[in-house]
């Protein structure tokens, strides 16, 4: 029971959305750095 | 049952669907970005005096024209899906911005600056919670406002809302109040900065604390001077790093009367879950640059990519800013938020002008 309430308070669905967005940003950002490395 | 499942599967759009749907809106964003750069060059060449006095560069042009389009002729519904990527664009710009720094340049900003940022973040939260007794609002709304007006307009509100059990409309209200404040500051602070003769570093540090929405912080910084934009970026990052700790502090304040709830929070897990991991990619770019991974030409191209990511992000912000949303946000939260944010801005100005060695 206490485990459930811990989970509920620490991470909501919006957090997962932000986390997914951050992973996308990391991927795009690193890709763009390599684009700069290759094209320059 | 199987029909429901089929219907559910049919409704769920794939990544390709999302990309195709986003294309018309993204085309508008790119067109506005191209226009903003062209207008920047045109004003610089043909209206040099106005350009130097008003500092109306591509950043302010993209946001202003975007807002004008949204609030006059409007944006066709088919373009809406492509306008919601301002956060992704600005965060991507921040990652690439890592190539502008070395570990030594970050260290130069120093411990004093991090203490300055932390004091202002926690101070803003404490001040807002102390002043809220004079305003009509729930603890949950106060929590969202405290998060938004201290750390980062949208991300912090989104991180705090579910944790303090705020309703969707309380989060939306908080975000609207913060964006209105940021918008006003975005146009006002560069004028004040020039009037006070601030250096780019001082101005960057100031807006990095006084304005809370990351895109608006960067927009105000770059509207003032390129170096101010870079300094604002560092201060913005310092603020964002502290996000999980400030959010935890707010949660404890909101739930302080509910001892069962506060005891049940796993604090380490909470901080890990709320940590903005895109910062890791920014730091990776800084480390690569420190190691000499990029040549001068590559850094120049990375700089152009960063400017474009920011410009398109700013254009998206302009195109999604509705004046009617501002009207609908109501009074109390905005008044309280503005009072707290203005006190913070004035105190931060005093600190960067006279105390912080920048």
């Amino acid at each position: 029971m206490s485990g459930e309430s811990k989970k509920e308070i620490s991470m909501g669905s919006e957090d997962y959305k932000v986390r997914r967005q951050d992973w996308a940003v990391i991927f795009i950002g690193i890709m763009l750095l390599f684009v700069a490395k290759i094209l320059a | 049952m199987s029909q429901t499942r089929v219907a559910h599967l049919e409704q769920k759009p794939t990544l390709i669907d999302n990309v195709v749907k986003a294309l018309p809106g993204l085309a508008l964003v790119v067109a506005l970005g191209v226009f903003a750069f062209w207008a920047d060059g045109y004003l610089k060449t043909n209206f040099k005096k106005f350009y130097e006095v008003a500092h109306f560069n591509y950043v302010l042009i993209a946001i202003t024209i975007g807002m004008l389009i949204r609030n006059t002729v409007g944006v066709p519904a088919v373009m809406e899906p492509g306008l919601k990527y301002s956060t992704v664009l600005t965060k991507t710009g921040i990652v690439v911005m890592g190539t502008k720094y070395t570990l030594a340049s970050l260290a130069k900003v120093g411990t004093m600056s991090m203490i300055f940022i932390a004091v202002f973040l926690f101070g803003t939260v404490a001040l807002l919670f102390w002043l809220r007794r004079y305003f009509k609002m729930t603890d949950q709304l106060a929590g969202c406002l405290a998060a938004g007006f201290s750390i980062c307009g949208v991300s912090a509100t989104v991180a705090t809302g579910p944790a303090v059990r705020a309703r969707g409309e309380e989060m939306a209200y908080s975000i609207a109040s913060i964006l209105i404040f940021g918008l006003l500051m975005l146009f006002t602070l560069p004028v004040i900065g020039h009037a006070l003769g601030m250096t780019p570093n001082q101005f960057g540090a100031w807006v990095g604390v006084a304005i809370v929405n990351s895109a608006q912080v960067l927009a105000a910084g770059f509207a003032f001077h390129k170096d101010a934009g870079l300094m604002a970026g560092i201060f913005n990052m310092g603020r964002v790093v502290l996000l999980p700790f400030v959010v935890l502090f707010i949660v404890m304040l909101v739930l302080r009367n509910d001892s069962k709830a506060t005891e049940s929070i796993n604090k380490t897990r909470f901080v890990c879950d709320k940590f903005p991991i895109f910062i890791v990619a920014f730091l990776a770019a800084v480390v690569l640059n420190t190691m000499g991974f990029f040549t001068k030409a590559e850094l120049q191209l990375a700089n152009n990519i960063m400017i474009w990511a920011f410009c398109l992000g700013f254009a998206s912000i302009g195109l999604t800013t509705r004046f009617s949303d501002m009207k609908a946000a109501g009074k109390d939260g905005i008044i309280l938020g503005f009072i707290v944010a203005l006190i913070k801005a004035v105190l931060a100005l005093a600190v960067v002008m006279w105390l912080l060695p920048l």
Side-chain angles (χ1 to χ4, degrees):
Chain A
M1 181 67 195
S2 77
E4 274 175 25
S5 58
K6 274 181 194 180
K7 198 179 173 189
E8 183 192 72
I9 287 173
S10 61
M11 196 120 176
S13 62
E14 286 296 329
D15 289 323
Y16 284 113
K17 212 171 135 188
V18 173
R19 188 54 59 94
R20 269 203 309 274
Q21 191 189 64
D22 277 6
W23 279 117
V25 165
I26 289 173
F27 175 73
I28 298 167
I30 291 175
M31 214 177 67
L32 287 174
L33 290 177
F34 278 101
V35 166
K37 184 86 191 151
I38 293 163
L39 292 186
Chain B
M1 182 68 186
S2 65
Q3 270 181 341
T4 321
R5 195 175 295 163
V6 169
H8 177 71
L9 288 173
E10 277 174 358
Q11 277 168 6
K12 201 174 177 189
T14 62
L15 179 68
I16 295 170
D17 288 339
N18 285 333
V19 171
V20 171
K21 269 186 194 164
L23 284 177
L26 284 174
L28 176 64
V29 171
V30 172
L32 180 53
V34 171
F35 175 78
F37 273 116
W38 172 81
D40 183 301
Y42 183 82
L43 286 175
K44 204 187 280 179
T45 317
N46 298 297
F47 299 92
K48 211 175 167 193
K49 205 87 194 153
F50 168 77
Y51 187 88
E52 282 169 3
V53 174
H55 301 281
F56 210 69
N57 61 8
Y58 71 94
V59 175
L60 298 184
I61 294 169
I63 293 176
T64 311
I65 303 288
M67 283 196 302
L68 282 175
I69 293 173
R70 161 63 66 184
N71 294 285
T72 53
V73 290
V75 177
V78 69
M79 289 180 165
E80 293 290 354
L83 303 182
K84 58 181 182 188
Y85 295 102
S86 61
T87 314
V88 172
L89 287 163
T90 44
K91 278 183 177 176
T92 304
I94 289 170
V95 170
V96 180
M97 195 169 75
T99 59
K100 307 287 289 182
Y101 309 103
T102 59
L103 288 173
S105 69
L106 286 188
K108 211 173 133 193
V109 177
T111 321
M112 274 294 284
S113 303
M114 273 314 282
I115 294 171
F116 164 64
I117 294 167
V119 167
F120 271 83
L121 288 193
F122 287 99
T124 306
V125 174
L127 180 65
L128 196 139
F129 267 87
W130 183 72
L131 283 175
R132 68 152 293 226
R133 70 188 71 184
Y134 304 108
F135 294 84
K136 248 186 164 178
M137 69 181 67
T138 61
D139 269 343
Q140 282 69 23
L141 177 57
C144 289
L145 285 170
F149 274 102
S150 58
I151 319 162
C152 181
V154 182
S155 315
T157 308
V158 165
T160 309
V164 298
R165 296 154 189 168
R167 296 196 309 270
E169 54 266 36
E170 287 173 325
M171 289 168 67
Y173 178 95
S174 171
I175 290 169
S177 311
I178 292 146
L179 293 181
I180 296 167
F181 175 80
L183 205 57
L184 291 174
M185 292 299 106
L186 165 59
F187 287 96
T188 318
L189 296 195
V191 179
I192 296 174
H194 284 294
L196 294 175
M198 295 176 85
T199 65
N201 279 355
Q202 286 176 328
F203 186 80
W206 184 35
V207 294
V209 172
I211 302 179
V212 278
N213 176 265
S214 296
Q216 290 171 337
V217 167
L218 293 163
F222 281 108
F224 185 85
H225 191 275
K226 197 186 100 206
D227 293 339
L230 294 178
M231 182 56 85
I234 297 181
F235 272 74
N236 184 58
M237 200 60 74
R239 245 188 26 242
V240 173
V241 165
L242 293 172
L243 184 147
F245 303 99
V246 180
V247 172
L248 181 62
F249 177 52
I250 293 168
V251 171
M252 299 309 249
L253 279 175
V254 172
L255 302 178
R256 66 191 178 283
N257 296 326
D258 185 350
S259 56
K260 261 190 181 171
T262 47
E263 274 166 24
S264 73
I265 297 173
N266 181 339
K267 296 180 183 68
T268 314
R269 174 85 196 273
F270 186 96
V271 169
C272 291
D273 285 349
K274 303 281 178 189
F275 192 80
I277 52 164
F278 78 97
I279 286 173
V280 175
F282 167 83
L283 289 175
V286 175
V287 170
L288 286 175
N289 189 37
T290 308
M291 288 163 58
F293 183 71
F294 299 104
T295 63
K296 215 174 169 188
E298 289 159 6
L299 287 175
Q300 184 55 48
L301 184 55
N303 180 60
N304 291 342
I305 291 172
M306 175 197 83
I307 290 173
W308 270 100
F310 285 148
C311 182
L312 299 182
F314 301 149
S316 302
I317 288 175
L319 286 165
T320 47
T321 303
R322 290 183 179 88
F323 294 147
S324 56
D325 287 350
M326 300 183 181
K327 230 174 156 183
K331 279 196 325 235
D332 265 27
I334 289 186
I335 294 172
L336 174 60
F338 274 36
I339 290 171
V340 172
L342 284 175
I343 292 172
K344 179 176 70 165
V346 172
L347 291 176
L349 176 64
V351 173
V352 298
M353 290 288 276
W354 294 298
L355 291 177
L356 214 58
L358 287 166

